[in-house]
């Protein structure tokens, strides 16, 4: 829980609060593959509701096309690809929302305006036809035990944590949750935790000692549910593609064919080496692509035999600077900016504080309990700005603060290398027509983390201004820091994502709806972090029943106190955001 020191500092300064480890995405598929098939227009959910697909990719949203998004989802082993809001690419194993009329998906793609990329809260979804139909699968009997696998909190073997009752967990319950969501991999750990995924993350391997998976499942002592940093791993192969990236289209996953002929042919292919370097402002990424010389030999005989062909092999190495400053479970914070004076220091504090709601919602339980420590780190920064950063004392800037209050987790510059079959053809999408209007192009740092919606007070349950239930504060609704979005009439933004372009925006007429969504987001975090923490005895507080009742009461009070709230002339210009 947040410390007494932190609570005192927050109360004294009368502050309001708030606003993906990031998903370890693989490179997009560079080899030819069977084209995805269009499925339709789908609801992508409002703030606090599930999106249509489980993963929002980190691809550049300003150059997006259908081809780019489907290649990325193919390379990451997902069945489905979705495109929304001019060029946001999503991937997932199953659609989680309702199908809509095609008239609701009308936004042109940012990289090719002859293609459609969803709508404001809608997505166009495409499916990889090389996956066996999901409806043909029989259920959890598809899962077969793989082995005892290593795991660690910083890089999970399986990324998608399932919020299930740990006290009754069995392998079957975990597998059912993974199957219901379309994940081919299922794994149980430490008696009470369940994880799913479409692939195994790099760095984790089969355990040296299979017997290290030795913890009985809480729901069935006759079953084993992993162990400490050990995962009992299961796989349903029929939930995987029969032609993963790199397999020739139509091969059914293999590169081997049977032929009958009377000739012998030997072919040698030599491919050149290519190096590409890209430099961008603030973040520099160097990518080196090497195509090795490869000899391809094809031998056939007068009788039926096997012919194996291998093509040129490409190696891609990417070196990127660290972008994760403070790491909590599956979530990483954006680095705070440097400063030379107190005003800039307080702006850095705002960028720290505005990300707290994102931490609680994205870190994944039980890791999300570490978001209380992140909150305290932000509070330390605020106190530092107000008490230590004035005049010459600010000369050390961010480095001086980091030296005294080092962030936890985080990552240094990283180097990643992949090997894959070289593409035989390159398709370039050419954008035609006029520019896409309304796409975010200019933004600024949010100057203050103080929100416009009101935290309710209730003496019976003990919550009020500065002390919300479980210290899960109300997410911030304030001026929209994306200039083009603001200019389009969406003057307010609910900061629930560390990347504000992914946070929902609202017009002046929708201000009350923004506050209602903030209340809902707080309620969901209260249940998924605070109540779960009490249930699992990771937090020493009231009973789980009382904690749940307090969360529900706060949510209802929040809706009531904000139902008639007025914006009172806030955010009259975009400059008010900065």
């Amino acid at each position: 829980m947040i410390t007494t020191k932190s609570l005192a500092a927050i109360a004294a300064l009368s502050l309001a609060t708030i606003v993906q480890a990031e998903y370890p995405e693989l490179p997009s598929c560079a080899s030819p593959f069977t084209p995805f098939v269009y499925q339709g227009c789908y609801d992508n959910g409002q703030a606090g509701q599930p999106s249509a697909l489980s993963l929002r990719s980190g691809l550049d949203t300003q150059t997006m096309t259908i081809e780019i998004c489907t290649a990325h989802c193919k390379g990451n082993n997902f069945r489905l690809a979705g495109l929304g809001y001019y060029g946001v690419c999503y991937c997932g194993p199953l659609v989680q929302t309702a199908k809509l009329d095609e008239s609701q998906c009308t936004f042109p793609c940012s990289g090719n305006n002859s293609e459609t990329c969803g709508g404001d809260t809608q997505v166009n979804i495409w499916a990889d036809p090389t996956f066996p139909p999901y409806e043909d699968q029989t259920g959890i009997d598809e899962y077969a035990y793989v082995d005892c696998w290593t795991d660690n909190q910083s890089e999970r073997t399986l990324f998608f944590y399932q919020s299930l009752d740990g006290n009754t967990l069995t392998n079957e319950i975990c597998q059912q949750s993974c199957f219901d969501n379309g994940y081919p991999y299922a794994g149980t750990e430490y008696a009470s935790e369940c994880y799913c995924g479409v692939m195994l993350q790099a760095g984790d391997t089969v355990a040296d000692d299979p017997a290290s998976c030795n913890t009985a499942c809480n729901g069935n002592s006759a079953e084993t549910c992993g162990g400490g940093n050990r995962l009992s791993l299961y796989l349903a192969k029929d939930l995987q593609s029969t032609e993963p990236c790199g397999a020739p289209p139509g091969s059914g996953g293999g590169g081997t064919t049977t032929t009958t002929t009377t000739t012998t042919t030997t072919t040698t292919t030599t491919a050149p080496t290519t190096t590409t370097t890209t430099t961008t402002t603030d973040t520099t990424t160097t990518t080196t692509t090497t195509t090795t010389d490869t000899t391809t030999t094809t031998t056939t005989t007068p009788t039926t035999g096997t012919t194996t062909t291998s093509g040129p092999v490409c190696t891609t190495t990417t070196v990127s600077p660290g972008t994760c400053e403070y790491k909590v479970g599956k979530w990483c914070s954006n680095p705070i900016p440097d400063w030379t004076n107190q005003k800039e220091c307080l702006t850095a504090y705002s960028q720290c504080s505005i990300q707290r709601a994102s931490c609680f919602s994205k870190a994944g339980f039980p890791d999300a309990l570490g978001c209380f420590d992140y909150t305290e780190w932000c509070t330390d920064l605020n106190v530092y700005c107000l008490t230590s950063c004035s005049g010459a004392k600010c000369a050390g800037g961010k480095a001086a603060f980091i030296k005294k209050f080092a962030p936890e987790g985080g990552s240094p510059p990283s180097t990643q290398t992949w090997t894959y079959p070289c593409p035989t053809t390159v398709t370039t999408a050419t954008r035609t027509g006029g520019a896409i209007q309304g796409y975010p192009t200019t933004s600024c740092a949010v100057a203050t983390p103080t929100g416009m919606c009101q935290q309710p007070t209730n003496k019976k349950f003990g919550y009020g201004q500065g002390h919300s239930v479980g210290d899960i504060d109300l997410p911030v609704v304030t001026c929209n820091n994306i200039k083009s979005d603001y200019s389009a009439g969406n003057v307010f933004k609910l900061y629930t994502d560390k990347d504000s372009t992914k946070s929902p925006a609202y017009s002046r007429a929708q201000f009350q709806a923004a506050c209602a969504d903030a209340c809902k987001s707080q309620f969901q975090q209260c249940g998924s972090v605070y109540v779960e923490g009490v249930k699992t005895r990771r937090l020493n507080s009231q009973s789980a029943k009382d904690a749940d009742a307090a969360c529900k009461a706060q949510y209802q009070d929040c809706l009531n106190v904000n139902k008639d709230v007025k914006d009172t002339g806030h955010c009259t210009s975009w400059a008010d955001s900065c």
Side-chain angles (χ1 to χ4, degrees), residues 92-391:
L94 285 182
V95 183
Q96 304 178 56
T97 56
K99 191 172 185 178
L100 306 174
D101 187 84
E102 287 297 314
S103 63
Q104 297 195 45
C105 286
T106 59
F107 287 10
C109 295
S110 57
N112 184 349
N113 64 9
S114 67
E115 298 178 343
T116 304
C117 281
D120 191 29
T121 58
Q122 298 83 25
V123 288
N124 292 103
I125 290 182
W126 299 73
D128 184 345
T130 68
F131 279 78
Y134 176 78
E135 56 271 18
D136 290 350
Q137 309 314 311
T138 57
I140 65 172
D141 57 342
E142 301 280 352
Y143 289 92
Y145 184 68
V146 177
D147 215 323
C148 179
W149 214 261
T150 64
D151 195 18
N152 67 80
Q153 291 187 2
S154 61
E155 292 183 350
R156 291 292 186 188
T157 300
L158 299 178
F159 184 82
F160 296 95
Y161 172 78
Q162 304 297 292
S163 183
L164 303 172
D165 184 356
N167 294 322
T168 60
L169 185 73
T170 64
N171 285 307
E172 292 77 15
I173 290 175
C174 178
Q175 290 164 16
Q176 188 66 58
S177 182
C178 296
F179 180 82
D180 289 345
N181 289 285
Y183 293 108
Y185 285 101
T188 52
E189 183 168 344
Y190 204 55
S192 62
E193 298 173 3
C194 173
Y195 298 88
C196 308
V198 296
M199 61 183 179
L200 304 179
Q201 307 302 329
D204 295 308
T205 61
V206 176
D208 292 336
D209 181 10
S212 57
C213 282
N214 55 14
T215 305
C217 303
N218 282 344
N220 185 349
S221 60
E223 294 183 358
T224 299
C225 284
N229 289 330
R230 291 294 185 272
L231 193 75
S232 294
L233 184 65
Y234 295 82
L235 170 63
K237 290 186 177 181
D238 284 345
L239 294 180
Q240 293 181 308
S241 170
T242 58
E243 296 176 13
C245 179
S251 69
T256 301
T257 58
T258 300
T259 61
T260 302
T261 182
T262 58
T263 62
T264 299
T265 305
T266 300
T267 305
T268 301
T269 304
T270 301
T273 299
T274 305
T275 301
T276 304
T277 302
T278 304
T279 303
T280 59
T281 306
D282 298 328
T283 302
T284 301
T285 301
T286 302
T287 303
T288 303
T289 303
T290 304
T291 305
T292 59
D293 294 346
T294 304
T295 299
T296 302
T297 303
T298 304
T299 303
T300 58
T301 64
T303 58
T304 300
T306 299
T307 302
T308 303
T309 303
S310 59
V313 176
C314 288
T315 300
T316 298
T317 300
T318 302
V319 180
S320 304
T323 56
C324 173
E325 187 161 70
Y326 198 113
K327 183 177 176 63
V328 181
K330 301 173 184 177
W331 177 86
C332 277
S333 72
N334 291 326
I336 56 175
D338 201 354
W339 59 82
T340 58
N341 55 54
Q342 188 179 80
K343 180 179 179 181
E344 292 175 350
C345 183
L346 289 172
T347 298
Y349 158 68
S350 177
Q351 301 317 295
C352 184
S353 181
I354 210 82
Q355 298 181 70
R356 286 183 279 177
S358 173
C359 181
F360 282 112
S361 64
K362 301 294 179 63
F365 188 82
D367 297 325
L369 297 174
C371 296
F372 292 116
D373 294 327
Y374 174 74
T375 296
E376 183 174 345
W377 186 68
C378 294
T379 300
D380 288 335
L381 174 57
N382 190 48
V383 174
Y384 178 87
C385 295
L386 296 175
T387 61
S388 302
C389 186
S390 60

